[in-house]
Amino acid sequence: MKNTIIAILISIAALPVMAQNNGRQGEGRRLNPEEFKNRMEHFITQKADLTTEEAKAFIPIYSEFKDKQREIQRKIMKLKQIPDDNTTADFEKTVMEIASLDKEAASLETVYYKRLCKAVPARKVYRVIIAVDNFHRQMLKDFNNRGPRGRGHKANPANKE
């Protein structure tokens, strides 16, 4: 459960980074959120081996789940923007609000995984979870390989091209 939450947080936090083009569609072009969503849906449908009918049942529920997760993350990010000169009581209140939102996110995950397991077999829900992790890793890898300003610069200077 902890790994799933971490993966979800990474995927949400990395969304703006991953939404950038991986160099295949023209220099400097960014992947818009709809294109990113479509690529991810295609990737998870393929990797989880969802049939057309399963995808039609699964994707709307999954999209609703992701939208609610993003809303919780927006609230958390807003809470993390309080000024540093606040009182100890303000910080304590903020920390507790963030903890509450984290619990809400975990509860949301449980609710939606149950719904998803009713829409498609649990084995395929598991495959989707793995596919989403792999998709995000691949997007980050593609982005990192592009380096600064999309010039194909490797992040590690030891990697010679």
Side-chain angles (χ1 to χ4, degrees):
M1 178 87 160
K2 184 177 180 181
N3 288 339
T4 303
I5 292 172
I6 290 170
I8 290 168
L9 293 175
I10 290 171
S11 65
I12 291 170
L15 194 64
V17 171
M18 293 180 298
Q20 293 188 12
N21 182 351
N22 61 13
R24 287 179 255 176
Q25 297 177 345
E27 192 67 32
R29 184 167 178 263
R30 293 179 184 257
L31 194 63
N32 73 40
E34 192 61 34
E35 287 175 308
F36 178 83
K37 180 181 173 189
N38 290 338
R39 279 190 185 186
M40 187 164 79
E41 287 174 2
H42 176 74
F43 186 88
I44 64 176
T45 298
Q46 184 180 38
K47 295 296 181 184
D49 199 27
L50 297 176
T51 66
T52 304
E53 295 78 27
E54 288 172 332
K56 286 180 182 176
F58 182 89
I59 296 296
I61 298 168
Y62 187 76
S63 293
E64 180 181 313
F65 169 49
K66 288 298 184 184
D67 289 344
K68 289 184 179 186
Q69 277 186 323
R70 277 189 291 278
E71 184 56 37
I72 290 170
Q73 283 306 309
R74 279 188 207 103
K75 290 177 184 177
I76 290 172
M77 293 307 290
K78 187 175 181 181
L79 287 169
K80 289 180 178 180
Q81 296 174 0
I82 65 169
D84 201 40
D85 60 353
N86 278 344
T87 66
T88 300
D90 291 334
F91 283 112
E92 186 174 319
K93 179 182 174 199
T94 300
V95 168
M96 293 294 97
E97 288 175 10
I98 290 171
S100 176
L101 287 168
D102 284 339
K103 286 180 186 176
E104 184 181 334
S107 176
L108 181 74
E109 187 173 89
T110 301
V111 168
Y112 273 88
Y113 281 164
K114 286 179 182 177
R115 283 185 60 194
L116 291 168
C117 286
K118 289 179 183 176
V120 300
R123 174 181 301 242
K124 292 195 177 186
V125 174
Y126 173 79
R127 287 180 179 169
V128 167
I129 292 168
I130 300 304
V132 168
D133 288 347
N134 291 336
F135 178 79
H136 290 141
R137 267 191 219 101
Q138 184 61 48
M139 292 295 285
L140 286 170
K141 180 181 173 185
D142 290 348
F143 178 77
N144 285 336
N145 285 342
R146 284 181 56 222
R149 297 187 184 105
R151 294 189 180 137
H153 179 269
K154 299 284 183 189
N156 182 351
N159 292 337
K160 303 282 184 194
E161 291 187 35

Coordinates of all heavy atoms in Angstrom, one line a residue, residues 75-137:
K75 N -4.7 20.2 -3.2 CA -4.9 20.7 -1.9 C -3.7 20.6 -1.0 O -3.3 21.6 -0.3 CB -6.1 20.0 -1.2 CG -7.5 20.3 -1.8 CD -8.5 19.4 -1.1 CE -9.9 19.6 -1.8 NZ -10.9 18.7 -1.2
I76 N -3.0 19.5 -1.1 CA -1.8 19.3 -0.4 C -0.7 20.3 -0.8 O 0.0 21.0 0.0 CB -1.2 17.9 -0.5 CG1 -2.2 16.9 0.3 CG2 0.2 17.8 0.0 CD1 -1.9 15.5 0.0
M77 N -0.6 20.5 -2.1 CA 0.4 21.5 -2.6 C 0.1 22.9 -2.2 O 1.0 23.7 -1.8 CB 0.5 21.4 -4.2 CG 1.1 20.1 -4.7 SD 2.6 19.6 -4.0 CE 3.7 20.8 -4.7
K78 N -1.2 23.2 -2.1 CA -1.5 24.6 -1.7 C -1.2 24.7 -0.2 O -0.7 25.8 0.2 CB -3.0 24.8 -1.9 CG -3.5 26.2 -1.6 CD -5.0 26.4 -1.9 CE -5.4 27.8 -1.6 NZ -6.8 28.0 -1.9
L79 N -1.4 23.7 0.6 CA -1.1 23.7 2.0 C 0.4 23.9 2.2 O 0.9 24.5 3.2 CB -1.6 22.5 2.8 CG -3.1 22.4 3.0 CD1 -3.4 21.0 3.5 CD2 -3.5 23.4 4.0
K80 N 1.2 23.4 1.3 CA 2.7 23.4 1.4 C 3.2 24.8 1.1 O 4.4 25.0 1.1 CB 3.3 22.3 0.6 CG 3.1 20.9 1.1 CD 3.8 19.9 0.3 CE 3.6 18.5 0.8 NZ 4.2 17.5 0.0
Q81 N 2.4 25.7 0.7 CA 2.8 27.0 0.3 C 2.6 28.1 1.4 O 2.6 29.3 1.0 CB 2.2 27.4 -1.0 CG 2.5 26.5 -2.2 CD 1.7 26.9 -3.4 OE1 0.9 27.7 -3.4 NE2 2.0 26.1 -4.5
I82 N 2.5 27.7 2.6 CA 2.3 28.7 3.7 C 3.7 29.4 3.9 O 4.7 28.8 3.8 CB 1.8 28.0 5.0 CG1 2.7 27.1 5.6 CG2 0.4 27.4 4.7 CD1 2.3 26.6 7.0
P83 N 3.6 30.6 4.3 CA 4.8 31.4 4.6 C 5.6 30.8 5.8 O 5.0 30.2 6.7 CB 4.3 32.8 5.0 CG 2.9 32.8 4.5 CD 2.4 31.4 4.5
D84 N 6.9 31.0 5.7 CA 7.8 30.4 6.7 C 7.7 31.1 8.0 O 8.2 30.6 9.1 CB 9.2 30.4 6.2 CG 10.1 29.4 6.9 OD1 9.6 28.3 7.2 OD2 11.3 29.7 7.2
D85 N 7.1 32.3 8.0 CA 7.0 33.1 9.3 C 5.8 32.8 10.1 O 5.4 33.6 11.0 CB 7.2 34.6 9.0 CG 6.1 35.1 8.1 OD1 5.3 34.3 7.5 OD2 6.1 36.4 7.9
N86 N 5.0 31.8 9.7 CA 3.8 31.4 10.5 C 4.2 30.9 11.9 O 5.4 30.6 12.2 CB 3.0 30.3 9.8 CG 2.1 30.9 8.7 OD1 1.9 32.1 8.7 ND2 1.7 30.1 7.8
T87 N 3.2 30.8 12.7 CA 3.4 30.3 14.1 C 3.5 28.8 14.1 O 3.1 28.1 13.2 CB 2.3 30.8 15.0 OG1 1.1 30.1 14.6 CG2 2.0 32.3 15.0
T88 N 4.0 28.3 15.2 CA 4.1 26.9 15.4 C 2.7 26.2 15.3 O 2.6 25.2 14.7 CB 4.8 26.5 16.8 OG1 6.1 27.1 16.8 CG2 4.8 25.1 17.0
A89 N 1.8 26.9 15.9 CA 0.4 26.4 15.8 C -0.1 26.3 14.3 O -0.8 25.3 14.0 CB -0.6 27.3 16.6
D90 N 0.2 27.3 13.5 CA -0.1 27.3 12.1 C 0.5 26.1 11.4 O -0.1 25.4 10.6 CB 0.3 28.6 11.4 CG -0.5 29.8 11.9 OD1 -1.7 29.6 12.3 OD2 0.0 30.9 11.7
F91 N 1.8 25.8 11.7 CA 2.5 24.7 11.1 C 1.9 23.4 11.5 O 1.7 22.5 10.7 CB 4.0 24.8 11.3 CG 4.7 25.8 10.5 CD1 5.2 26.9 11.1 CD2 4.8 25.6 9.1 CE1 5.9 27.9 10.3 CE2 5.4 26.6 8.4 CZ 6.0 27.7 9.0
E92 N 1.6 23.3 12.8 CA 1.0 22.1 13.3 C -0.4 21.8 12.7 O -0.7 20.7 12.2 CB 0.8 22.2 14.9 CG 0.3 20.9 15.5 CD 0.3 20.9 17.0 OE1 1.2 21.5 17.6 OE2 -0.7 20.4 17.6
K93 N -1.2 22.8 12.5 CA -2.5 22.7 11.9 C -2.3 22.3 10.4 O -3.0 21.4 9.9 CB -3.2 24.0 11.9 CG -4.6 24.0 11.2 CD -5.2 25.3 11.2 CE -6.5 25.3 10.4 NZ -7.0 26.6 10.0
T94 N -1.3 22.8 9.7 CA -1.1 22.5 8.3 C -0.6 21.0 8.2 O -1.1 20.3 7.3 CB 0.0 23.4 7.7 OG1 -0.5 24.8 7.8 CG2 0.3 23.1 6.3
V95 N 0.3 20.6 9.1 CA 0.8 19.2 9.1 C -0.4 18.3 9.3 O -0.5 17.3 8.6 CB 1.9 19.0 10.1 CG1 2.2 17.6 10.3 CG2 3.2 19.8 9.7
M96 N -1.3 18.6 10.2 CA -2.4 17.7 10.5 C -3.4 17.7 9.3 O -3.9 16.6 8.9 CB -3.1 18.2 11.7 CG -2.3 18.0 13.0 SD -2.0 16.2 13.4 CE -0.4 16.0 12.8
E97 N -3.5 18.8 8.6 CA -4.4 18.9 7.4 C -3.8 18.0 6.3 O -4.5 17.3 5.6 CB -4.6 20.3 6.9 CG -5.5 21.1 7.8 CD -5.6 22.6 7.4 OE1 -5.2 23.0 6.3 OE2 -6.2 23.4 8.2
I98 N -2.5 18.1 6.1 CA -1.8 17.3 5.1 C -2.0 15.8 5.5 O -2.3 15.0 4.6 CB -0.3 17.7 5.0 CG1 -0.2 19.1 4.3 CG2 0.5 16.6 4.2 CD1 1.2 19.6 4.4
A99 N -1.8 15.4 6.7 CA -2.0 14.0 7.2 C -3.4 13.6 6.9 O -3.6 12.4 6.4 CB -1.6 13.9 8.6
S100 N -4.4 14.4 7.1 CA -5.7 14.1 6.9 C -6.0 13.9 5.4 O -6.7 12.9 5.0 CB -6.7 15.2 7.4 OG -8.0 14.9 7.1
L101 N -5.4 14.7 4.6 CA -5.6 14.5 3.1 C -4.9 13.3 2.6 O -5.3 12.6 1.7 CB -5.0 15.8 2.4 CG -5.9 17.0 2.5 CD1 -5.2 18.2 2.0 CD2 -7.2 16.8 1.7
D102 N -3.7 12.9 3.2 CA -3.0 11.7 2.9 C -3.9 10.5 3.2 O -4.0 9.5 2.5 CB -1.7 11.5 3.6 CG -0.6 12.4 3.0 OD1 -0.7 12.8 1.8 OD2 0.4 12.7 3.7
K103 N -4.6 10.5 4.4 CA -5.5 9.4 4.7 C -6.7 9.4 3.8 O -7.1 8.3 3.4 CB -6.1 9.7 6.2 CG -5.1 9.4 7.2 CD -5.7 9.6 8.6 CE -4.7 9.5 9.7 NZ -5.2 9.8 11.0
E104 N -7.2 10.5 3.4 CA -8.3 10.6 2.4 C -7.8 10.0 1.1 O -8.6 9.2 0.4 CB -8.7 12.1 2.2 CG -9.9 12.2 1.2 CD -10.2 13.7 1.0 OE1 -10.0 14.5 1.9 OE2 -10.8 14.0 0.0
A105 N -6.6 10.2 0.7 CA -6.1 9.7 -0.6 C -6.0 8.1 -0.5 O -6.3 7.4 -1.4 CB -4.7 10.2 -0.9
A106 N -5.5 7.6 0.7 CA -5.4 6.2 0.9 C -6.8 5.5 0.9 O -7.0 4.5 0.3 CB -4.7 5.9 2.2
S107 N -7.8 6.2 1.5 CA -9.1 5.7 1.5 C -9.7 5.7 0.1 O -10.4 4.7 -0.3 CB -10.0 6.5 2.4 OG -11.3 6.1 2.4
L108 N -9.5 6.7 -0.6 CA -10.0 6.8 -2.0 C -9.4 5.7 -2.9 O -10.1 5.1 -3.6 CB -9.5 8.2 -2.6 CG -9.9 8.5 -4.0 CD1 -11.4 8.8 -4.0 CD2 -9.2 9.7 -4.5
E109 N -8.1 5.4 -2.7 CA -7.5 4.3 -3.4 C -8.2 3.0 -3.1 O -8.5 2.2 -4.1 CB -6.0 4.3 -3.0 CG -5.2 3.3 -3.8 CD -3.7 3.5 -3.4 OE1 -3.3 2.8 -2.4 OE2 -3.0 4.3 -4.0
T110 N -8.5 2.7 -1.9 CA -9.1 1.5 -1.5 C -10.5 1.4 -2.2 O -10.9 0.4 -2.8 CB -9.3 1.4 0.0 OG1 -8.0 1.4 0.6 CG2 -10.0 0.1 0.4
V111 N -11.3 2.5 -2.1 CA -12.6 2.5 -2.7 C -12.5 2.2 -4.2 O -13.3 1.4 -4.7 CB -13.3 3.8 -2.4 CG1 -14.6 4.0 -3.2 CG2 -13.6 4.0 -0.9
Y112 N -11.6 2.9 -4.9 CA -11.6 2.8 -6.3 C -11.0 1.5 -6.8 O -11.4 0.9 -7.8 CB -10.8 4.0 -7.0 CG -11.8 5.1 -7.2 CD1 -12.1 6.1 -6.3 CD2 -12.5 5.2 -8.4 CE1 -13.0 7.1 -6.5 CE2 -13.4 6.2 -8.7 CZ -13.7 7.1 -7.7 OH -14.6 8.1 -7.9
Y113 N -10.0 0.9 -6.0 CA -9.5 -0.4 -6.4 C -10.6 -1.4 -6.3 O -10.7 -2.3 -7.1 CB -8.3 -0.8 -5.6 CG -7.0 -0.1 -6.0 CD1 -5.9 -0.1 -5.2 CD2 -6.9 0.5 -7.3 CE1 -4.7 0.6 -5.6 CE2 -5.7 1.1 -7.7 CZ -4.7 1.1 -6.8 OH -3.5 1.7 -7.2
K114 N -11.5 -1.3 -5.3 CA -12.6 -2.2 -5.2 C -13.5 -2.1 -6.4 O -14.0 -3.1 -7.0 CB -13.4 -2.0 -3.9 CG -12.6 -2.5 -2.7 CD -13.4 -2.3 -1.4 CE -12.7 -2.7 -0.2 NZ -13.3 -2.4 1.1
R115 N -13.8 -0.8 -6.8 CA -14.7 -0.6 -7.9 C -14.0 -1.1 -9.2 O -14.7 -1.7 -10.1 CB -14.9 0.9 -8.1 CG -16.0 1.5 -7.1 CD -16.3 2.9 -7.4 NE -16.9 3.1 -8.8 CZ -17.0 4.3 -9.3 NH1 -16.6 5.4 -8.7 NH2 -17.5 4.4 -10.5
L116 N -12.7 -0.9 -9.4 CA -12.0 -1.4 -10.6 C -12.0 -2.9 -10.6 O -12.2 -3.5 -11.7 CB -10.6 -0.8 -10.6 CG -10.5 0.7 -10.8 CD1 -9.1 1.2 -10.5 CD2 -11.0 1.1 -12.2
C117 N -11.9 -3.6 -9.5 CA -11.9 -5.0 -9.4 C -13.3 -5.6 -9.8 O -13.4 -6.8 -10.2 CB -11.4 -5.5 -8.1 SG -9.7 -5.4 -7.8
K118 N -14.3 -4.8 -9.6 CA -15.7 -5.2 -10.1 C -15.8 -5.0 -11.6 O -16.6 -5.7 -12.2 CB -16.8 -4.4 -9.3 CG -16.9 -4.8 -7.9 CD -17.9 -4.0 -7.1 CE -18.0 -4.4 -5.7 NZ -18.9 -3.6 -4.9
A119 N -15.1 -4.1 -12.1 CA -15.2 -3.8 -13.6 C -14.4 -4.8 -14.4 O -14.8 -5.2 -15.5 CB -14.8 -2.4 -13.9
V120 N -13.3 -5.1 -13.9 CA -12.4 -6.1 -14.6 C -11.8 -7.0 -13.6 O -11.8 -6.7 -12.4 CB -11.3 -5.4 -15.4 CG1 -11.8 -4.4 -16.5 CG2 -10.3 -4.6 -14.5
P121 N -11.2 -8.2 -14.0 CA -10.6 -9.1 -13.0 C -9.5 -8.4 -12.3 O -8.7 -7.6 -12.8 CB -10.1 -10.2 -13.9 CG -10.9 -10.2 -15.2 CD -11.2 -8.7 -15.4
A122 N -9.3 -8.8 -11.0 CA -8.3 -8.2 -10.1 C -6.9 -8.4 -10.7 O -6.0 -7.5 -10.6 CB -8.4 -8.8 -8.7
R123 N -6.7 -9.5 -11.4 CA -5.4 -9.7 -12.1 C -5.0 -8.5 -13.0 O -3.9 -8.1 -13.1 CB -5.4 -11.0 -12.8 CG -4.1 -11.3 -13.6 CD -4.2 -12.6 -14.3 NE -4.4 -13.6 -13.4 CZ -3.5 -14.6 -13.2 NH1 -2.5 -14.7 -13.9 NH2 -3.7 -15.5 -12.2
K124 N -6.1 -8.1 -13.7 CA -5.8 -7.0 -14.7 C -5.7 -5.7 -14.0 O -4.9 -4.8 -14.5 CB -6.9 -7.0 -15.7 CG -6.8 -8.2 -16.6 CD -7.6 -8.1 -17.9 CE -7.4 -9.4 -18.7 NZ -8.0 -9.3 -20.0
V125 N -6.4 -5.5 -12.9 CA -6.2 -4.2 -12.1 C -4.7 -4.2 -11.6 O -4.1 -3.2 -11.7 CB -7.2 -4.1 -10.9 CG1 -6.9 -2.9 -10.0 CG2 -8.6 -4.1 -11.4
Y126 N -4.2 -5.3 -11.1 CA -2.8 -5.4 -10.7 C -1.9 -5.1 -11.9 O -1.0 -4.3 -11.7 CB -2.6 -6.8 -10.2 CG -1.1 -7.0 -9.9 CD1 -0.5 -6.5 -8.7 CD2 -0.3 -7.7 -10.8 CE1 0.8 -6.7 -8.4 CE2 1.0 -7.9 -10.5 CZ 1.6 -7.4 -9.3 OH 2.9 -7.6 -9.1
R127 N -2.2 -5.6 -13.0 CA -1.4 -5.4 -14.2 C -1.4 -3.9 -14.6 O -0.4 -3.4 -15.0 CB -1.8 -6.2 -15.4 CG -1.5 -7.7 -15.3 CD -2.0 -8.4 -16.5 NE -1.7 -9.8 -16.4 CZ -2.1 -10.7 -17.2 NH1 -3.0 -10.4 -18.2 NH2 -1.8 -12.0 -17.1
V128 N -2.5 -3.2 -14.4 CA -2.6 -1.8 -14.7 C -1.7 -1.0 -13.7 O -1.0 -0.1 -14.1 CB -4.1 -1.3 -14.6 CG1 -4.1 0.2 -14.5 CG2 -4.9 -1.8 -15.8
I129 N -1.8 -1.4 -12.4 CA -0.9 -0.7 -11.4 C 0.6 -0.8 -11.8 O 1.3 0.2 -11.8 CB -1.2 -1.4 -10.0 CG1 -2.6 -1.0 -9.5 CG2 -0.1 -0.9 -9.0 CD1 -3.0 -1.8 -8.3
I130 N 1.0 -2.0 -12.2 CA 2.4 -2.2 -12.7 C 2.6 -1.4 -14.0 O 3.7 -0.8 -14.1 CB 2.7 -3.7 -12.9 CG1 2.4 -4.5 -11.6 CG2 4.1 -3.9 -13.4 CD1 3.2 -4.0 -10.4
A131 N 1.7 -1.5 -14.9 CA 1.8 -0.8 -16.2 C 2.0 0.8 -15.9 O 2.8 1.4 -16.6 CB 0.7 -1.1 -17.1
V132 N 1.2 1.3 -15.0 CA 1.3 2.8 -14.7 C 2.7 3.1 -14.2 O 3.3 4.1 -14.6 CB 0.2 3.2 -13.8 CG1 0.4 4.6 -13.2 CG2 -1.2 3.1 -14.4
D133 N 3.2 2.3 -13.3 CA 4.5 2.5 -12.8 C 5.5 2.5 -13.9 O 6.4 3.3 -14.0 CB 4.9 1.4 -11.7 CG 4.2 1.6 -10.4 OD1 3.6 2.7 -10.2 OD2 4.2 0.7 -9.6
N134 N 5.4 1.5 -14.8 CA 6.3 1.4 -15.9 C 6.2 2.5 -16.9 O 7.2 3.0 -17.4 CB 6.1 0.0 -16.6 CG 6.6 -1.2 -15.8 OD1 7.4 -1.0 -14.9 ND2 6.0 -2.3 -16.1
F135 N 5.0 3.0 -17.1 CA 4.8 4.1 -18.0 C 5.5 5.3 -17.5 O 6.1 6.0 -18.2 CB 3.3 4.3 -18.2 CG 2.9 5.5 -19.0 CD1 3.0 5.4 -20.4 CD2 2.5 6.7 -18.5 CE1 2.7 6.5 -21.2 CE2 2.2 7.8 -19.3 CZ 2.3 7.7 -20.6
H136 N 5.3 5.6 -16.2 CA 5.9 6.8 -15.6 C 7.4 6.7 -15.6 O 8.1 7.7 -15.9 CB 5.4 7.0 -14.2 CG 3.9 7.5 -14.2 ND1 3.0 7.1 -13.3 CD2 3.3 8.3 -15.0 CE1 1.9 7.6 -13.5 NE2 2.0 8.4 -14.6
R137 N 7.9 5.5 -15.3 CA 9.4 5.3 -15.4 C 9.9 5.6 -16.8 O 10.9 6.2 -17.0 CB 9.8 3.9 -15.0 CG 10.1 3.8 -13.5 CD 10.7 2.4 -13.2 NE 10.2 2.0 -11.9 CZ 9.2 1.1 -11.7 NH1 8.7 0.5 -12.7 NH2 8.7 0.9 -10.5

